[in-house]
mmCIF file of all heavy atoms in Angstrom:
data_model
loop_
_atom_site.group_PDB
_atom_site.id
_atom_site.type_symbol
_atom_site.label_atom_id
_atom_site.label_comp_id
_atom_site.label_asym_id
_atom_site.label_seq_id
_atom_site.Cartn_x
_atom_site.Cartn_y
_atom_site.Cartn_z
ATOM 1 N N ASP A 27 -39.620 153.258 76.579
ATOM 2 C CA ASP A 27 -40.632 153.665 75.627
ATOM 3 C C ASP A 27 -40.036 154.154 74.350
ATOM 4 O O ASP A 27 -40.507 153.879 73.259
ATOM 5 C CB ASP A 27 -41.507 154.754 76.294
ATOM 6 C CG ASP A 27 -42.676 155.138 75.386
ATOM 7 O OD1 ASP A 27 -43.428 154.246 74.940
ATOM 8 O OD2 ASP A 27 -42.854 156.328 75.128
ATOM 9 N N VAL A 28 -38.976 155.009 74.425
ATOM 10 C CA VAL A 28 -38.272 155.495 73.237
ATOM 11 C C VAL A 28 -37.716 154.372 72.426
ATOM 12 O O VAL A 28 -37.829 154.346 71.202
ATOM 13 C CB VAL A 28 -37.181 156.487 73.624
ATOM 14 C CG1 VAL A 28 -36.377 156.890 72.406
ATOM 15 C CG2 VAL A 28 -37.783 157.762 74.270
ATOM 16 N N SER A 29 -37.069 153.399 73.106
ATOM 17 C CA SER A 29 -36.532 152.255 72.369
ATOM 18 C C SER A 29 -37.595 151.487 71.611
ATOM 19 O O SER A 29 -37.376 151.089 70.456
ATOM 20 C CB SER A 29 -35.822 151.322 73.364
ATOM 21 O OG SER A 29 -34.728 151.962 74.001
ATOM 22 N N ALA A 30 -38.729 151.292 72.252
ATOM 23 C CA ALA A 30 -39.844 150.584 71.610
ATOM 24 C C ALA A 30 -40.345 151.439 70.434
ATOM 25 O O ALA A 30 -40.700 150.877 69.375
ATOM 26 C CB ALA A 30 -40.980 150.370 72.586
ATOM 27 N N GLN A 31 -40.464 152.704 70.591
ATOM 28 C CA GLN A 31 -40.872 153.584 69.471
ATOM 29 C C GLN A 31 -39.935 153.567 68.286
ATOM 30 O O GLN A 31 -40.355 153.435 67.180
ATOM 31 C CB GLN A 31 -41.045 155.053 69.995
ATOM 32 C CG GLN A 31 -42.225 155.292 70.870
ATOM 33 C CD GLN A 31 -42.271 156.753 71.361
ATOM 34 O OE1 GLN A 31 -41.420 157.178 72.162
ATOM 35 N NE2 GLN A 31 -43.208 157.493 70.858
ATOM 36 N N LEU A 32 -38.654 153.624 68.597
ATOM 37 C CA LEU A 32 -37.678 153.526 67.537
ATOM 38 C C LEU A 32 -37.693 152.232 66.813
ATOM 39 O O LEU A 32 -37.622 152.188 65.575
ATOM 40 C CB LEU A 32 -36.273 153.793 68.108
ATOM 41 C CG LEU A 32 -35.828 155.232 68.381
ATOM 42 C CD1 LEU A 32 -34.510 155.294 69.083
ATOM 43 C CD2 LEU A 32 -35.780 156.030 67.091
ATOM 44 N N GLU A 33 -37.829 151.137 67.541
ATOM 45 C CA GLU A 33 -37.908 149.843 66.917
ATOM 46 C C GLU A 33 -39.139 149.726 66.002
ATOM 47 O O GLU A 33 -39.057 149.212 64.905
ATOM 48 C CB GLU A 33 -37.999 148.743 67.988
ATOM 49 C CG GLU A 33 -37.962 147.350 67.442
ATOM 50 C CD GLU A 33 -37.936 146.310 68.548
ATOM 51 O OE1 GLU A 33 -37.697 146.629 69.719
ATOM 52 O OE2 GLU A 33 -38.167 145.101 68.230
ATOM 53 N N GLN A 34 -40.272 150.276 66.495
ATOM 54 C CA GLN A 34 -41.469 150.245 65.643
ATOM 55 C C GLN A 34 -41.303 151.118 64.388
ATOM 56 O O GLN A 34 -41.683 150.702 63.290
ATOM 57 C CB GLN A 34 -42.665 150.749 66.442
ATOM 58 C CG GLN A 34 -44.009 150.727 65.680
ATOM 59 C CD GLN A 34 -44.412 149.378 65.303
ATOM 60 O OE1 GLN A 34 -44.774 148.526 66.149
ATOM 61 N NE2 GLN A 34 -44.410 149.048 63.995
ATOM 62 N N ALA A 35 -40.693 152.315 64.569
ATOM 63 C CA ALA A 35 -40.485 153.183 63.396
ATOM 64 C C ALA A 35 -39.542 152.562 62.392
ATOM 65 O O ALA A 35 -39.812 152.625 61.179
ATOM 66 C CB ALA A 35 -39.914 154.491 63.872
ATOM 67 N N GLU A 36 -38.464 151.919 62.873
ATOM 68 C CA GLU A 36 -37.549 151.258 61.970
ATOM 69 C C GLU A 36 -38.228 150.081 61.208
ATOM 70 O O GLU A 36 -37.945 149.876 60.014
ATOM 71 C CB GLU A 36 -36.296 150.787 62.748
ATOM 72 C CG GLU A 36 -35.419 151.940 63.212
ATOM 73 C CD GLU A 36 -34.431 151.546 64.286
ATOM 74 O OE1 GLU A 36 -34.436 150.357 64.696
ATOM 75 O OE2 GLU A 36 -33.673 152.390 64.737
ATOM 76 N N THR A 37 -39.085 149.409 61.911
ATOM 77 C CA THR A 37 -39.831 148.317 61.235
ATOM 78 C C THR A 37 -40.737 148.876 60.131
ATOM 79 O O THR A 37 -40.780 148.345 59.016
ATOM 80 C CB THR A 37 -40.682 147.551 62.250
ATOM 81 O OG1 THR A 37 -39.865 146.951 63.273
ATOM 82 C CG2 THR A 37 -41.521 146.438 61.588
ATOM 83 N N TYR A 38 -41.441 149.930 60.462
ATOM 84 C CA TYR A 38 -42.286 150.653 59.466
ATOM 85 C C TYR A 38 -41.441 151.063 58.214
ATOM 86 O O TYR A 38 -41.838 150.843 57.072
ATOM 87 C CB TYR A 38 -42.931 151.840 60.042
ATOM 88 C CG TYR A 38 -44.207 151.571 60.876
ATOM 89 C CD1 TYR A 38 -44.454 152.239 62.053
ATOM 90 C CD2 TYR A 38 -45.176 150.673 60.376
ATOM 91 C CE1 TYR A 38 -45.613 152.001 62.796
ATOM 92 C CE2 TYR A 38 -46.325 150.400 61.093
ATOM 93 C CZ TYR A 38 -46.535 151.092 62.307
ATOM 94 O OH TYR A 38 -47.709 150.843 63.012
ATOM 95 N N GLU A 39 -40.276 151.665 58.551
ATOM 96 C CA GLU A 39 -39.425 152.165 57.480
ATOM 97 C C GLU A 39 -38.933 151.016 56.566
ATOM 98 O O GLU A 39 -38.984 151.108 55.334
ATOM 99 C CB GLU A 39 -38.225 152.915 58.037
ATOM 100 C CG GLU A 39 -37.360 153.562 57.002
ATOM 101 C CD GLU A 39 -36.248 154.409 57.569
ATOM 102 O OE1 GLU A 39 -36.213 154.547 58.800
ATOM 103 O OE2 GLU A 39 -35.415 154.908 56.813
ATOM 104 N N THR A 40 -38.530 149.890 57.178
ATOM 105 C CA THR A 40 -38.042 148.732 56.435
ATOM 106 C C THR A 40 -39.127 148.204 55.525
ATOM 107 O O THR A 40 -38.879 147.736 54.398
ATOM 108 C CB THR A 40 -37.572 147.648 57.428
ATOM 109 O OG1 THR A 40 -36.526 148.170 58.204
ATOM 110 C CG2 THR A 40 -37.088 146.404 56.638
ATOM 111 N N GLN A 41 -40.391 148.226 56.037
ATOM 112 C CA GLN A 41 -41.501 147.713 55.266
ATOM 113 C C GLN A 41 -42.073 148.676 54.256
ATOM 114 O O GLN A 41 -43.012 148.368 53.525
ATOM 115 C CB GLN A 41 -42.631 147.285 56.238
ATOM 116 C CG GLN A 41 -42.209 146.082 57.123
ATOM 117 C CD GLN A 41 -43.275 145.778 58.169
ATOM 118 O OE1 GLN A 41 -44.181 146.583 58.454
ATOM 119 N NE2 GLN A 41 -43.142 144.590 58.805
ATOM 120 N N GLY A 42 -41.518 149.902 54.245
ATOM 121 C CA GLY A 42 -41.968 150.927 53.317
ATOM 122 C C GLY A 42 -43.111 151.743 53.783
ATOM 123 O O GLY A 42 -43.717 152.540 52.981
ATOM 124 N N TYR A 43 -43.467 151.665 55.042
ATOM 125 C CA TYR A 43 -44.537 152.483 55.572
ATOM 126 C C TYR A 43 -43.920 153.796 56.118
ATOM 127 O O TYR A 43 -43.804 154.033 57.301
ATOM 128 C CB TYR A 43 -45.274 151.754 56.713
ATOM 129 C CG TYR A 43 -45.988 150.495 56.224
ATOM 130 C CD1 TYR A 43 -45.626 149.249 56.726
ATOM 131 C CD2 TYR A 43 -47.037 150.555 55.280
ATOM 132 C CE1 TYR A 43 -46.288 148.122 56.299
ATOM 133 C CE2 TYR A 43 -47.696 149.427 54.848
ATOM 134 C CZ TYR A 43 -47.308 148.185 55.367
ATOM 135 O OH TYR A 43 -47.944 147.080 54.910
ATOM 136 N N TYR A 44 -43.529 154.640 55.189
ATOM 137 C CA TYR A 44 -42.776 155.820 55.503
ATOM 138 C C TYR A 44 -43.538 156.816 56.388
ATOM 139 O O TYR A 44 -42.983 157.504 57.258
ATOM 140 C CB TYR A 44 -42.250 156.509 54.307
ATOM 141 C CG TYR A 44 -41.249 155.629 53.506
ATOM 142 C CD1 TYR A 44 -41.237 155.572 52.104
ATOM 143 C CD2 TYR A 44 -40.252 154.867 54.201
ATOM 144 C CE1 TYR A 44 -40.361 154.790 51.403
ATOM 145 C CE2 TYR A 44 -39.340 154.099 53.499
ATOM 146 C CZ TYR A 44 -39.383 154.055 52.104
ATOM 147 O OH TYR A 44 -38.506 153.287 51.433
ATOM 148 N N GLN A 45 -44.858 156.996 56.091
ATOM 149 C CA GLN A 45 -45.628 157.949 56.817
ATOM 150 C C GLN A 45 -45.713 157.579 58.321
ATOM 151 O O GLN A 45 -45.542 158.403 59.163
ATOM 152 C CB GLN A 45 -47.043 158.035 56.218
ATOM 153 C CG GLN A 45 -47.943 159.081 56.879
ATOM 154 C CD GLN A 45 -47.451 160.454 56.652
ATOM 155 O OE1 GLN A 45 -47.408 160.967 55.534
ATOM 156 N NE2 GLN A 45 -47.042 161.154 57.736
ATOM 157 N N GLN A 46 -45.907 156.302 58.588
ATOM 158 C CA GLN A 46 -46.040 155.828 59.966
ATOM 159 C C GLN A 46 -44.673 156.062 60.692
ATOM 160 O O GLN A 46 -44.635 156.459 61.826
ATOM 161 C CB GLN A 46 -46.445 154.394 60.025
ATOM 162 C CG GLN A 46 -47.881 154.148 59.591
ATOM 163 C CD GLN A 46 -48.049 153.975 58.094
ATOM 164 O OE1 GLN A 46 -47.215 154.417 57.321
ATOM 165 N NE2 GLN A 46 -49.109 153.309 57.700
ATOM 166 N N ALA A 47 -43.552 155.739 59.970
ATOM 167 C CA ALA A 47 -42.235 155.902 60.559
ATOM 168 C C ALA A 47 -41.980 157.401 60.808
ATOM 169 O O ALA A 47 -41.467 157.751 61.883
ATOM 170 C CB ALA A 47 -41.155 155.371 59.610
ATOM 171 N N GLU A 48 -42.362 158.257 59.878
ATOM 172 C CA GLU A 48 -42.154 159.698 60.047
ATOM 173 C C GLU A 48 -42.915 160.181 61.293
ATOM 174 O O GLU A 48 -42.348 160.967 62.084
ATOM 175 C CB GLU A 48 -42.644 160.420 58.806
ATOM 176 C CG GLU A 48 -42.562 161.956 58.933
ATOM 177 C CD GLU A 48 -43.366 162.658 57.844
ATOM 178 O OE1 GLU A 48 -44.395 162.120 57.446
ATOM 179 O OE2 GLU A 48 -42.948 163.760 57.494
ATOM 180 N N ASP A 49 -44.114 159.749 61.482
ATOM 181 C CA ASP A 49 -44.950 160.199 62.634
ATOM 182 C C ASP A 49 -44.222 159.862 63.923
ATOM 183 O O ASP A 49 -44.194 160.683 64.853
ATOM 184 C CB ASP A 49 -46.330 159.562 62.612
ATOM 185 C CG ASP A 49 -47.194 160.098 61.467
ATOM 186 O OD1 ASP A 49 -46.844 161.137 60.909
ATOM 187 O OD2 ASP A 49 -48.169 159.413 61.073
ATOM 188 N N ILE A 50 -43.687 158.663 64.059
ATOM 189 C CA ILE A 50 -43.050 158.258 65.268
ATOM 190 C C ILE A 50 -41.726 159.061 65.486
ATOM 191 O O ILE A 50 -41.447 159.509 66.588
ATOM 192 C CB ILE A 50 -42.736 156.756 65.242
ATOM 193 C CG1 ILE A 50 -44.047 155.954 65.261
ATOM 194 C CG2 ILE A 50 -41.873 156.350 66.492
ATOM 195 C CD1 ILE A 50 -43.873 154.467 65.111
ATOM 196 N N TYR A 51 -40.934 159.172 64.425
ATOM 197 C CA TYR A 51 -39.679 159.906 64.545
ATOM 198 C C TYR A 51 -39.938 161.348 64.998
ATOM 199 O O TYR A 51 -39.242 161.909 65.868
ATOM 200 C CB TYR A 51 -38.926 159.959 63.221
ATOM 201 C CG TYR A 51 -38.270 158.645 62.822
ATOM 202 C CD1 TYR A 51 -38.227 158.222 61.458
ATOM 203 C CD2 TYR A 51 -37.720 157.799 63.782
ATOM 204 C CE1 TYR A 51 -37.628 157.047 61.129
ATOM 205 C CE2 TYR A 51 -37.091 156.592 63.423
ATOM 206 C CZ TYR A 51 -37.074 156.212 62.081
ATOM 207 O OH TYR A 51 -36.498 155.038 61.729
#
Side-chain angles (χ1 to χ4, degrees):
D27 184 52
V28 173
S29 297
Q31 286 178 291
L32 279 173
E33 184 176 348
Q34 181 63 68
E36 289 165 359
T37 299
Y38 278 138
E39 185 175 354
T40 301
Q41 294 174 346
Y43 297 118
Y44 295 139
Q45 183 64 64
Q46 290 87 337
E48 178 193 31
D49 291 342
I50 295 174
Y51 287 145

